[in-house]
Amino acid sequence: MRAAVVKKIGGPEAVEVVEVPLPEPGPFEVRVKVAAAALNPADAAVWGGFFGPLDEVEYIGLGLDAAGTIDAVGAGVLLEVGTPVIVFHAPVLRPTKAQAEYLVTELNSLAPAPEGMDLTLAATIPLNATTAVQALEHLPLRPRDTLLITGAAGAVGGYALELARTRGLRIVAQGRPEDEEFLRGLGARWFVSRDEELSAAVRRLVPEGVDGVLDAAALGAPALAAVRDGGIFVSVRVDVLPAPERGVVVRHTSAGPDATRLSYVSALAEAGVLTPRVGPVFPLSQATEAHTRLAAGGLRGRIVLVP
């Protein structure tokens, strides 16, 4: 089968599509025939060397998110071949991952795909929606509390905004000026442009400071300054966590596979509560070009590879 892999550390040009052995599912594993796989910043961290050199392996695969159909099952698996699923395949240093024609993954890493949804859309859900759910679980806010979401038009931020709206939170969304109408449509009560000084702009709207921040844009200290004394701050990146101050609780969230959460976000997407967004779609054979586009940034919607 074909798979997108990295054999050396570098830029997106390090991504190659190679022929690799078809993987076989072991006990409590399934093999998924991939219909679509989304690209995420975590992929750039692989080819950029964040997880270290590749001295001891021939190559490692790319891709955490996929949607497809069950193709084969291992011992102990009761799921039926042909079932549409979404997959959050989190282990990093594996020879092949989601950006391939087939993927072997554990039962805890998959859930039924949203019924009636195109699998290209469904592939953008697992990592980002699960991260948004877990981040909000770290924010014990009550209805009518105020929440600032930085990078609200991004994949995690957009899902978090929609989820926060269902909890009755009053949301300050930060994004590019051209994102304002979109973010208000998702449920933001207030909008702050990323071109403004964040804390001052937020405190003009909420003078006492917001009750909580979900720092999806990984801004760190400038976002912390917008929180009221004794509030709570949650970041999706541990490397930019600010030091706690003024009694503000500072937390990091890092999502992992969880079949229960995956089923939950799939059901929300099926019900129209979550809005998956697809950017450019590339064939698997153009994985290098797709990763080059990922590195360029500026998209609203995930890049997707289709085998």
Side-chain angles (χ1 to χ4, degrees), residues 265-287:
V265 297
S266 180
L268 290 176
E270 184 176 316
V273 175
L274 296 181
T275 309
R277 288 174 285 157
V278 171
V281 178
F282 292 83
L284 179 60
S285 59
Q286 294 180 14

Side-chain angles (χ1 to χ4, degrees), residues 138-150:
H138 287 310
L139 286 155
L141 302 177
R142 298 168 298 182
R144 297 194 61 76
D145 280 351
T146 52
L147 172 67
L148 166 64
I149 302 175
T150 69

Side-chain angles (χ1 to χ4, degrees), residues 244-284:
E245 60 180 48
R246 300 180 289 107
V248 176
V249 175
V250 173
R251 293 176 175 169
H252 165 246
T253 186
S254 179
D258 182 319
T260 300
R261 281 199 185 101
L262 273 177
S263 295
Y264 174 61
V265 297
S266 180
L268 290 176
E270 184 176 316
V273 175
L274 296 181
T275 309
R277 288 174 285 157
V278 171
V281 178
F282 292 83
L284 179 60

Side-chain angles (χ1 to χ4, degrees), residues 37-43 47 63-65 99 123 128 282 287 289-294 302-305:
L39 275 63
N40 285 287
D43 296 313
W47 45 253
L64 284 76
D65 287 336
Q99 293 169 27
N128 296 297
F282 292 83
E289 291 87 342
H291 282 266
T292 299
R293 183 65 189 88
L294 172 69
R302 283 290 175 228
I303 299 170
V304 175
L305 289 174

Side-chain angles (χ1 to χ4, degrees), residues 1 3-6 18 20 57 59-62 92-97:
M1 71 166 189
V5 304
V6 174
V18 299
V20 299
V57 295
Y59 55 80
I60 58 173
L62 295 166
V92 175
L93 302 179
R94 296 285 181 91
T96 59
K97 287 178 58 63

